Amino acid sequence: MTGYDMTVADRLDRALFTIGAWMLALLWILPLIYAIWTAFHPAAYEVNFDLTAPLTLENFPKAWVQAPFARYFLNTIILVLMILAGQLVLGTCAAYAFARLSFPGRNVLFALVLVQLMVMPDILLVENYQTMRMLGLVDTILAIGLPYMASGFCIFLLRQTFMTIPKELDDAARIEGEGVIGTMLRVYVPLAKPTYLAFGLVSVSAHWNNFVWPLIITNSVETRPLTVGLSIFSTADSGLEWSVINAATLMTSGPLLIGFLLFQRQFVQSFMRAGIK
Amino acid sequence: MRREWIYALLLLLPAMILLMGFTHIPAIETIIDSFYSTPRGRRAARFVELENYRTLLADDVFLRAFWNNLIYAAVTIPASIIISLGMALFVHSRIRGLSFLRMAYFTPTVLPLIAVANIWLFFYTPGFGLIDQIRGLFDLPPQNWMGQTDTALYTMIAVAVWKEAGFFMIFYLAALQTIPTPLREAAKLEGAGRWTFFRRVTLPLIMPTTVFISVNAVINSVRLVDHIFVMTEGGPNNASKLLLYYIFEVAFQFWDTAYASTLTVVILGMLSLLAIGQFFFLDKRVHYK
């Protein structure tokens, strides 16, 4: 549509559409803008949005020394990588078996996997806590991650991807002398790379942000992830300033946020890909 | 192919053990535990039949949390679906600042809910919070949004919708991109307006995505309670208490694990109803094709 054949009504329609989109976007990003504003200004300006207010970086070191954030970061990174590694290894094995091998009870077992899409470990707090206590794992990073390592979503997603790979490649690999595991690793895994990336992003952001289960199963600095650490930090009755809390908030979500800004396109596309299948 | 069986079972074994250990067995144990009393000190758990369930029906806090959760779901689900569809339509068109819009809508998905709860807490703070500052410009009196029984739940709902809409937008965007362009051109030739096209073509075509999103939204309406921990702790006077938060309280603050199991059974029951409903719904859709 060129500018010439646009009627007044069309133009008005177009303008309203754009204004609506922008209003919604500003509303949605407002919390982040506010956090950035207060985190980079002295505490006196946390409710006083003056454009000439002096910028400062001092809120970040202030927050950093008031809680063991370095330890929380380390815990979270270990946790997220551990969960992802577990999910990918277990998911690949299970998905390959479901997609390409025949065995008795295949459908029943697959149905049992799908149950987890509905009933997530987050809901079975009480029993899972008792299991961890029985295993002697309460207050360990492993205990935060273990319930999530066999991911129904990961198995389902990889199975769908593996099923789209032509079976002729299997036969070719067999003729080359590859066994079941060799075929899986050398044919299926490389071809499913986009799915691995998509799932990886979803998993990392989900577990970086997870809160309730880590809150319950951890009770010491050595195991607490960032989310739990931040909640303790900000609810502590220490008369903390908003600007310091917001600096801590930005630090906590910083790595994900920066990662998201840098890889925005891939991020959104991989989420989309994860959604279609 | 005996060897294939063995390979398959070995490949499945680790995942199945964990799935059983942290999903299936705990789910069954939860149901069993709900018929027993909570073991205390040297007194072991004993079989109490339906006593926990009788307590449940007489428990005002449970009834309140259940009702709150229904309201929470009934508002959050449609609101986040409608807003996410609007967002997807916005960023699917050629519009100024497309990548900024996409980023703005999607950021809440990346931010930890527990972290941004602090920011929202400030927005709602009576007197000097952002909302009251804006109200102040219009000479409206300050309001204690999170401290009033009739508004507390809705402040939680607003945060949940804000968190979810951007995530659902991605799925709608994916669905919109699969609508063939010839359809759009044909509709234009027929003189169909934007609204007619949306109602007659887009809406039916994105139906499967809507089903997918609704199922996710229902599950989230049970799971997504992080912000309650920071913002209201279920208060005031249980006004913003949701089921999962109540389970957390009963199990890990009052240490009444049997009663917490009984509460969990309620959630499991609701999710199974949903699963059955979804099964029949999807079944019907398959026949259409």
Side-chain angles (χ1 to χ4, degrees):
Chain A
M1 193 184 285
T2 58
Y4 289 109
D5 52 15
M6 269 175 89
T7 63
V8 177
D10 273 344
R11 263 170 220 260
L12 188 71
D13 184 48
R14 191 81 229 156
L16 282 177
F17 192 75
T18 311
I19 292 170
W22 274 84
M23 296 265 282
L24 194 63
L26 291 176
L27 196 66
W28 242 245
I29 208 166
L30 189 67
L32 185 66
I33 291 175
Y34 164 72
I36 294 174
W37 166 270
T38 47
F40 285 100
H41 289 91
Y45 293 91
E46 53 190 34
V47 291
N48 184 6
F49 305 103
D50 180 354
L51 280 180
T52 59
L55 287 166
T56 172
L57 283 174
E58 66 179 14
N59 294 317
F60 289 90
K62 240 192 223 170
W64 185 263
V65 296
Q66 284 185 27
F69 278 109
R71 184 72 218 199
Y72 295 158
F73 262 105
L74 183 69
N75 294 342
T76 301
I77 290 167
I78 295 173
L79 173 72
V80 163
L81 293 180
M82 186 178 75
I83 293 178
L84 184 63
Q87 285 174 331
L88 293 183
V89 172
L90 297 180
T92 304
C93 292
Y96 183 73
F98 282 127
R100 281 298 184 249
L101 302 176
S102 64
F103 53 92
R106 192 162 94 154
N107 292 337
V108 177
L109 288 179
F110 191 59
L112 284 178
V113 168
L114 294 184
V115 167
Q116 208 216 24
L117 296 181
M118 285 269 171
V119 183
M120 297 178 174
D122 308 17
I123 293 162
L124 301 163
L125 301 170
V126 185
E127 292 296 336
N128 282 341
Y129 184 84
Q130 281 163 358
T131 308
M132 290 305 171
R133 206 161 54 176
M134 210 177 68
L135 295 172
L137 289 175
V138 172
D139 200 25
T140 59
I141 297 181
L142 182 64
I144 315 177
L146 209 51
Y148 299 99
M149 281 192 194
S151 154
F153 181 57
C154 177
I155 297 173
F156 176 72
L157 209 59
L158 283 173
R159 173 185 171 267
Q160 301 300 96
T161 314
F162 287 167
M163 292 209 308
T164 61
I165 293 170
K167 241 184 165 161
E168 287 75 33
L169 286 175
D170 261 60
D171 302 332
R174 289 274 145 78
I175 293 166
E176 299 269 321
E178 295 281 11
V180 172
I181 308 291
T183 313
M184 183 180 89
L185 290 179
R186 277 187 266 279
V187 178
Y188 283 80
V189 172
L191 286 174
K193 229 185 237 166
T195 309
Y196 282 105
L197 181 74
F199 178 78
L201 292 171
V202 176
S203 167
V204 167
S205 77
H207 291 287
W208 190 283
N209 296 343
N210 199 10
F211 174 70
V212 180
W213 174 245
L215 171 77
I216 288 163
I217 202 73
T218 63
N219 45 42
S220 63
V221 168
E222 283 70 35
T223 55
R224 232 173 249 150
L226 276 170
T227 46
V228 180
L230 181 74
S231 78
I232 291 171
F233 174 77
S234 54
T235 49
D237 267 335
S238 51
L240 280 173
E241 288 151 337
W242 280 110
S243 49
V244 177
I245 291 180
N246 283 337
T249 302
L250 279 187
M251 274 180 346
T252 314
S253 25
L256 275 191
L257 207 58
I258 292 169
F260 166 59
L261 289 177
L262 287 178
F263 302 106
Q264 204 210 119
R265 192 162 275 266
Q266 288 94 319
F267 216 77
V268 170
Q269 269 167 358
S270 61
F271 267 102
M272 266 163 55
R273 225 178 274 122
I276 302 170
K277 286 168 183 161
Chain B
M1 282 293 277
R2 258 281 153 64
R3 268 189 54 195
E4 208 172 285
W5 292 12
I6 296 170
Y7 270 117
L9 294 179
L10 283 178
L11 285 172
L12 281 175
L13 200 63
M16 290 321 280
I17 289 176
L18 287 182
L19 277 174
M20 292 282 176
F22 294 109
T23 303
H24 303 107
I25 296 173
I28 294 167
E29 271 180 11
T30 300
I31 298 172
I32 296 172
D33 280 0
S34 71
F35 295 107
Y36 282 84
S37 67
T38 303
R40 297 219 187 264
R42 279 184 298 152
R43 196 149 41 98
R46 63 190 168 81
F47 185 68
V48 293
E49 281 176 56
L50 292 174
E51 202 183 293
N52 287 325
Y53 289 91
R54 274 193 288 270
T55 315
L56 191 89
L57 289 177
D59 179 0
D60 288 337
V61 182
F62 161 72
L63 294 174
R64 186 71 206 250
F66 187 79
W67 180 241
N68 281 345
N69 225 135
L70 285 183
I71 298 176
Y72 185 78
V75 181
T76 315
I77 297 166
S80 54
I81 288 178
I82 291 168
I83 293 176
S84 64
L85 180 55
M87 287 173 169
L89 290 170
F90 282 145
V91 296
H92 185 59
S93 62
R94 266 171 293 159
I95 195 167
R96 243 172 252 256
L98 188 67
S99 55
F100 169 77
L101 293 178
R102 240 184 233 203
M103 187 199 71
Y105 296 151
F106 193 66
T107 352
T109 305
V110 191
L111 295 169
L113 187 50
I114 198 69
V116 284
N118 288 319
I119 304 171
W120 278 91
L121 198 62
F122 165 75
F123 284 0
Y124 290 132
T125 310
F128 72 96
L130 193 70
I131 294 177
D132 273 354
Q133 282 195 49
I134 293 170
R135 283 169 62 90
L137 297 180
F138 300 98
D139 281 331
L140 291 165
Q143 287 271 349
N144 188 1
W145 302 101
M146 294 189 313
Q148 284 168 334
T149 45
D150 50 344
T151 51
L153 183 62
Y154 294 94
T155 61
M156 297 298 103
I157 288 174
V159 179
V161 172
W162 170 81
K163 175 74 180 168
E164 290 208 291
F167 184 57
F168 294 155
M169 168 196 79
I170 300 293
F171 302 110
Y172 270 132
L173 194 54
L176 288 177
Q177 284 173 353
T178 61
I179 296 176
T181 345
L183 267 182
R184 217 168 274 276
E185 283 154 8
K188 201 166 270 172
L189 282 180
E190 299 271 323
R194 197 206 293 270
W195 172 240
T196 319
F197 182 78
F198 174 74
R199 213 163 41 91
R200 305 291 289 271
V201 183
T202 312
L203 218 48
L205 281 177
I206 58 172
M207 217 29 215
T209 310
T210 307
V211 174
F212 171 83
I213 291 176
S214 329
V215 172
N216 267 288
V218 173
I219 297 173
N220 283 348
S221 71
V222 175
R223 278 179 62 218
L224 217 62
V225 298
D226 298 8
H227 49 312
I228 295 178
F229 284 81
V230 169
M231 298 177 69
T232 63
E233 297 183 325
N237 198 12
N238 300 320
S240 64
K241 194 157 285 173
L242 299 180
L243 282 176
L244 191 59
Y245 188 86
Y246 188 42
I247 291 176
F248 162 81
E249 260 186 2
V250 169
F252 299 101
Q253 289 182 347
F254 312 148
W255 294 102
D256 189 350
T257 49
Y259 191 49
S261 296
T262 315
L263 291 167
T264 312
V265 170
V266 174
I267 291 190
L268 289 179
M270 294 194 318
L271 289 177
S272 348
L273 273 181
L274 174 72
I276 295 166
Q278 187 198 8
F279 177 77
F280 281 110
F281 190 87
L282 289 181
D283 219 33
K284 227 158 107 192
R285 259 204 38 235
V286 173
H287 285 299
Y288 268 85
K289 279 180 185 167

